[in-house]
């Protein structure tokens, strides 16, 4: 039985890898993709999702458009991190696929009602549309089999302000509503939270892209380098490898400019891998809440690990993993998928 998954993404470079990881995983059945404003505006997120489905020769998967703005504050996007269209230097052919006639919120609610207890929700962007879906269907925590969230930072610096992480920063009100809504969830339904604490240990380097090209039977096998000229683009024979390489190269450049080194934190595909196999993660329960009123701490996620607030845990926070196991899976799955979709000539 394949695992039904709703993806809620702000595609983005690492969201793209999360989508490819699930498309390449036979045990995953993506039954809907919600396009949430974040890295880039919602319409661009949706266009990126449709375009990746074309590149991957994927079956018709519903892609729904989400809210254009966060719940309470104006949208902030981050093209400097993910590129002008959100897919780095990749230039994905525009898709002719149609967007879903229903909104992302309607899709969330109608799918969980149609498949009670079966769906794993994977959120790798701001939680705007999930929060709106919870307002429409308060039973959603009971109707989902599990929720996996990429977001937050706990005992770890933020990546957007000193204390907060991008997805929560874009829509902190939504994040609070989601964590509050899961406060009554039983232990086996608590959201699995992949925060920066763990996702910033998932460091993709040029070596991983080289291994991916080799696994896909793509040629030439390239080694992306910070010494490449700024206009360098992949000449890989395999379109999936080529577009992934161009997308990630931008992300490498961004991380190097931030002083993190010539690497890329693969936040979202790690969360996707956990959504398929929670055994990848060591977790610890905590009560999570989101600061909304702080002047310099607004949008900070706070974890009460010891029950100091007298509230039940509402999250299982990932505190450990083996990044190499993750990268072995990512390279094998996407590499084999790319080879199968575009057999080496
Ligand atoms: O903070 C990292 C998260 O923000 C990732 O999901 C990235 O895609 C951006 O959405
Ligand atoms: Ca994302």
């Amino acid at each position: 039985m394949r695992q039904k998954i709703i993806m809620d993404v702000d595609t983005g470079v690492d969201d793209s890898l999360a989508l490819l990881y699930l498309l390449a995983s036979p045990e995953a059945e993506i039954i809907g993709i919600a396009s949430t404003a974040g890295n880039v505006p919602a319409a661009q997120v949706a266009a990126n999702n449709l375009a990746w489905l074309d590149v991957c020769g994927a079956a018709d998967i519903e892609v729904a458009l989400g809210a254009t703005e966060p719940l309470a504050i104006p949208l902030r996007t981050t093209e400097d991190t993910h590129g002008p269209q959100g897919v780095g230097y990749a230039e994905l052919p525009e898709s002719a696929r149609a967007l879903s006639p229903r909104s992302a919120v309607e899709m969330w609610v109608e799918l969980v009602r149609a498949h009670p207890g079966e769906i794993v929700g994977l959120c790798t962007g701001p939680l705007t549309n999930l929060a709106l879906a919870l307002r429409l269907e308060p039973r959603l925590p009971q109707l989902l089999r599990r929720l996996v969230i990429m977001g937050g930072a706990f005992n770890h610096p933020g990546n957007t302000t000193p204390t907060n992480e991008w997805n929560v920063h874009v829509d902190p009100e939504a994040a609070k509503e989601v964590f509050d809504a899961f406060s009554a969830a039983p232990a086996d339904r608590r959201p699995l939270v992949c925060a920066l604490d763990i996702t910033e240990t998932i460091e993709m380097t040029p070596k991983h892209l080289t291994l991916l090209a080799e696994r896909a039977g793509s040629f030439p096998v390239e080694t992306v380098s910070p010494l490449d000229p700024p206009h360098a683009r992949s000449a890989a024979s395999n379109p999936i490898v080529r577009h992934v390489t161009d997308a990630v190269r931008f992300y490498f450049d961004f991380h190097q400019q931030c002083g993190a080194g010539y690497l890329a934190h693969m936040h979202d595909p790690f969360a996707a891998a956990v959504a398929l196999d929670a055994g990848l993660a060591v977790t610890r329960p905590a009560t999570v809440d989101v600061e909304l009123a702080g002047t310099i701490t607004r949008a900070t996620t706070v974890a009460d690990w010891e029950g100091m607030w007298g509230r039940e845990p509402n999250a299982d926070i990932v505190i450990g993993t083996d990044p190499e196991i993750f990268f072995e899976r990512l390279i094998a799955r996407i590499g084999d998928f790319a080879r199968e979709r575009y057999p080496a000539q």
Side-chain angles (χ1 to χ4, degrees):
M1 188 74 168
R2 297 168 70 200
Q3 175 57 65
K4 287 183 174 59
I5 292 185
I6 293 175
M7 296 185 79
D8 191 323
V9 296
D10 64 335
T11 310
V13 172
D14 57 333
D15 305 78
S16 302
L17 272 290
L19 176 56
L20 266 62
Y21 185 92
L22 294 181
L23 289 172
S25 297
E27 71 269 39
E29 180 190 0
I30 305 172
I31 60 171
I33 304 173
S35 308
T36 290
N39 290 323
V40 290
Q44 185 62 58
V45 171
N48 292 341
N49 292 331
L50 295 171
W52 278 117
L53 293 180
D54 279 354
V55 168
C56 295
D60 275 344
I61 296 175
E62 180 178 9
V63 175
L65 185 62
T68 54
E69 297 287 327
L71 296 187
I73 54 178
L75 174 63
R76 175 183 173 190
T77 56
T78 182
E79 287 79 0
D80 60 319
T81 308
H82 291 267
Q85 275 80 39
V87 285
Y89 298 120
E91 294 180 14
L92 304 180
E94 187 176 345
S95 175
R97 294 177 188 231
L99 272 176
S100 171
R102 57 187 177 180
S103 72
V105 175
E106 290 162 340
M107 183 187 78
W108 263 111
V109 170
E110 290 165 14
L111 284 178
V112 296
R113 285 174 179 164
H115 305 282
E118 293 178 38
I119 297 169
V120 170
L122 169 65
C123 295
T124 65
L127 294 169
T128 311
N129 292 296
L130 180 53
L132 291 169
L134 281 158
R135 290 179 181 179
L136 202 55
E137 177 50 88
R139 297 176 301 150
L140 195 147
Q142 285 72 40
L143 293 172
L144 267 184
R145 178 175 180 212
R146 199 79 197 254
L147 177 66
V148 179
I149 295 171
M150 190 281 131
F154 297 103
N155 302 330
H156 193 86
N159 63 359
T160 308
T161 73
T163 60
N164 61 59
E165 176 277 327
W166 171 259
N167 290 334
V168 177
H169 175 88
V170 168
D171 197 339
E173 278 75 15
K176 177 170 177 58
E177 288 191 22
V178 169
F179 283 109
D180 286 354
F182 277 82
S183 294
D188 62 353
R189 298 285 176 97
R190 288 195 289 250
L192 280 162
V193 181
C194 303
L196 295 182
D197 308 52
I198 200 71
T199 64
E200 288 195 348
T201 69
I202 312 296
E203 298 181 337
M204 179 177 274
T205 63
K207 169 196 71 174
H208 295 117
L209 287 180
T210 302
L211 291 170
L212 177 64
E214 288 171 350
R215 183 79 181 228
S218 182
F219 56 89
V221 173
E222 302 159 321
T223 299
V224 176
S225 163
L227 303 177
D228 292 340
H231 57 275
R233 295 295 178 268
S234 172
S237 59
N238 184 294
I240 292 175
V241 173
R242 184 165 68 253
H243 291 310
V244 164
T245 301
D246 287 342
V248 174
R249 179 195 288 276
F250 189 100
Y251 216 27
F252 283 154
D253 289 344
F254 170 77
H255 284 75
Q256 187 174 49
Q257 288 153 20
C258 294
Y262 198 66
L263 54 86
H265 294 137
M266 283 293 146
H267 313 278
D268 297 346
F270 175 72
V274 170
L276 285 186
D277 177 10
L280 273 174
V282 176
T283 63
R284 186 179 172 197
T287 307
V288 172
D289 207 333
V290 182
E291 175 59 70
L292 298 181
T295 47
I296 60 174
T297 57
R298 176 169 152 80
T300 299
T301 48
V302 181
D304 175 6
W305 305 97
E306 305 295 341
M308 296 176 179
W309 292 333
R311 292 159 51 183
E312 285 301 307
N314 61 351
D316 285 332
I317 298 174
V318 178
I319 57 169
T321 194
D322 180 339
E324 279 319 302
I325 292 177
F326 162 74
F327 278 112
E328 284 165 12
R329 288 191 192 178
L330 178 113
I331 289 161
R333 289 166 186 240
I334 298 180
D336 291 350
F337 178 73
R339 180 192 289 265
E340 176 261 327
R341 288 294 147 107
Y342 298 95
Q345 303 304 322

